[in-house]
Amino acid sequence: MAEVEETLKRIQSQKGVQGIIIVNSEGIPIKTTLDNSSTVQYAGLIHQLVMKARSTVRDIDPQNDLTFLRVRSKKNEIMIAPGESKKSNSLSGF
Amino acid sequence: MFTDEALDSVSVRSLWRKSQQSEQESRDCQTRAVHSAEAGIQTVFTTLSCTQTEPQDQATEQLLQQNHNEPEPLGLKDFLQRVEEAVIRELVRNARSHAFDGFQVNWGDRSQLVSCLHCLQHPITQERGLHVTSVSWSCTGSVIACAYGRIDDGNWSTERSYVCMWNLDRRGLSPSQADLVIDVPTAVTALCYHPSQPALIAGGLYSGEVVVWDTSRTQDPVLALTGMSADSHREPVYQVAWVPLQKKGEFGVLSASSGGRVLVWTVDSDQGRFILNAAYALVQQQVSHSSSVSFKARGSSTVGVTSLALSPWDSDTFLVGSEGGLLLRCSFSSKVPAATPSDGQSVTLRAPAVFSFRPHSGPIHSIHCSPFHRNLFVSAGTDGLAHLHSLLQANPLLSLRVSDSYVFQVQWSPTRPLVFAAATGQGEVQIFDLGHRSLRPAATIEQRGAGQAASCLSFNCQNPHLLAVGNTDGTVGVWQLSADLTEQSPRESSQLEQIANQVAE
């Protein structure tokens, strides 16, 4: 429990991190450092993107799997680390 | 010998022709008699009640509650342990990477030129030679309202004037005829559209009155008028603005006049009048002077307000520029009573000035707070310079030479943090980009016709490509800006931050 908080704190303290959201396999956010409305918005949108990216990778090569996804925009960057298919995904904003 | 003979006629029966009459039957029917009955009732007593929901922010879904007493979701700890290293590695690499420096992608077509889309004018105002004193875009971004009057008149004038509106998104837009014209008894000196209701527009008149027009009413568009009461201004109102009041969603009208008063009104639309909510008076003695300024003014001790700006970051702060060049930071919640005798006002006058910046050498025509940084604002006046100030320091951070004559209005661009535009007395609009190394303007909009000044300008917040410029020959030009003046580049916010953190020498 404390380890989870510690880990989040370590990631949050990196340079340029605006917030962290942890989402479960259904796309529902379970931990977040951003405000409610942004969290819900990000979680909904990113979940679909991750599912699509993962299915793309696996369709090309079934032995392969998605390890990391980065979406870079003009103003900032979203970095996504997916978990196993039954577990959670994690997102962090740059 | 010849006798008449009478013969029988012969008839031949037709073999094929038969009677066309078909079978026929007839029947009658009738419904049974309809029963009807009548009864009367009357209400003995009535009650009336209404309900209304408050406008609410969008409802957000509930997150799965983070209950600290509950055990963690299974596997969260393991997942984080696994993933943490990778994430931190990528973050560190990102912070050091130069891969995307200067890399820009554009999805849409970029226009390279600044071009004039429309040149709007109205025949009556052209005939009478009225100047455009103020332009304002509606909150939807499609209607532009222009106020006419005179900017060179020093005397009281009783000339009638107009406020004209054009809807630029309409197909039948006619640039030489306004869509809607409102008659006003005196010259209009300030105009401001309501920030959320597209039909309401507030105006300040040369006679000191403040009016709110409702353009959705077909007959008399005047919704509320201050009239000449003890509460109202006695001098021309140079700025009106809508300020949010305590109750969320309600707006009051703020008006500032050269009589030294700043008043906040609430609109009572049923009775068609304004109710004074708060009143501030600026008096020479109460304005805190910085030590470099030590003149003693004789004569009238009021500080005539010629421009006012609200801060979008802090609802308590507002900035005031005066006829004498004083630039002050004021607060709505100040409790200090003003040192003028109150002449029958319904609300006690307060002195709002908190801090005074280095004065300009001439009346300040325009102030605008940056929508991208909480401490920056730009001010311009008759000295032909645009000064960039920080709210925290008395001296300006940067002074740019805009033109050799007066500067009538400056405004920050709503999309690019480093860009602002200035309307000059020589008829040009200079657009400056603080990201450029040189101090020369990034773009200059020259209007045709010599000898006329650009008296006001306004960016359109909904369509950031559009800029409206009003001139003293009574025309309003709507210009389309090029893409590099409207699209934000990646490092602008940090550059603005750097400029703001400079310490003025």
Side-chain angles (χ1 to χ4, degrees), chain B residues 70-99:
Chain B
E70 251 177 39
E72 290 289 331
L74 280 174
L76 181 61
K77 204 167 42 161
D78 298 327
F79 164 68
L80 275 179
Q81 269 174 352
R82 213 169 1 117
V83 153
E84 178 196 356
E85 250 187 71
V87 171
I88 292 190
R89 199 176 49 227
E90 291 298 326
L91 283 171
V92 168
R93 222 192 269 170
N94 227 352
R96 283 187 280 155
S97 146
H98 292 287

Side-chain angles (χ1 to χ4, degrees), chain B residues 119-296:
Chain B
C119 180
L120 306 169
Q121 58 197 36
H122 190 62
I124 311 184
T125 56
Q126 290 290 85
E127 278 167 41
R128 301 204 8 228
L130 291 174
H131 306 162
V132 179
T133 49
S134 183
V135 285
S136 176
W137 291 96
S138 75
C139 62
T140 56
S142 39
V143 180
I144 179 159
C146 313
Y148 292 89
R150 289 205 181 276
I151 54 172
D152 50 2
D153 227 349
N155 297 325
W156 279 104
S157 81
T158 49
E159 246 187 311
R160 295 189 64 86
S161 177
Y162 306 93
V163 174
C164 297
M165 279 139 200
W166 279 267
N167 186 334
L168 296 178
D169 291 337
R170 225 189 241 182
R171 262 184 309 169
L173 170 70
S174 141
S176 50
Q177 180 74 31
D179 291 336
L180 181 63
V181 178
I182 301 179
D183 280 324
V184 185
T186 60
V188 185
T189 43
L191 206 62
C192 184
Y193 255 109
H194 194 281
S196 54
Q197 294 185 20
L200 294 183
I201 178 166
L205 304 183
Y206 194 75
S207 58
E209 294 177 359
V210 178
V211 194
V212 171
W213 290 288
D214 183 352
T215 53
S216 60
R217 289 171 28 158
T218 40
Q219 278 166 336
D220 178 25
V222 174
L223 185 71
L225 180 61
T226 48
M228 301 300 293
S229 67
D231 285 342
S232 65
H233 297 282
R234 302 265 186 276
E235 301 268 327
V237 175
Y238 280 111
Q239 194 92 24
V240 283
W242 292 89
V243 290
L245 296 175
Q246 271 91 1
K247 196 157 151 220
K248 189 173 169 193
E250 266 193 22
F251 285 90
V253 178
L254 179 141
S255 60
S257 79
S258 51
R261 297 245 197 279
V262 175
L263 304 175
V264 179
W265 309 85
T266 47
V267 181
D268 183 2
S269 43
D270 306 324
Q271 303 211 359
R273 62 192 178 87
F274 285 91
I275 305 171
L276 192 56
N277 196 346
Y280 304 92
L282 289 157
V283 177
Q284 200 73 267
Q285 299 95 300
Q286 280 178 315
V287 166
S288 55
H289 291 295
S290 48
S291 54
S292 56
V293 176
S294 56
F295 59 90
K296 303 225 180 328

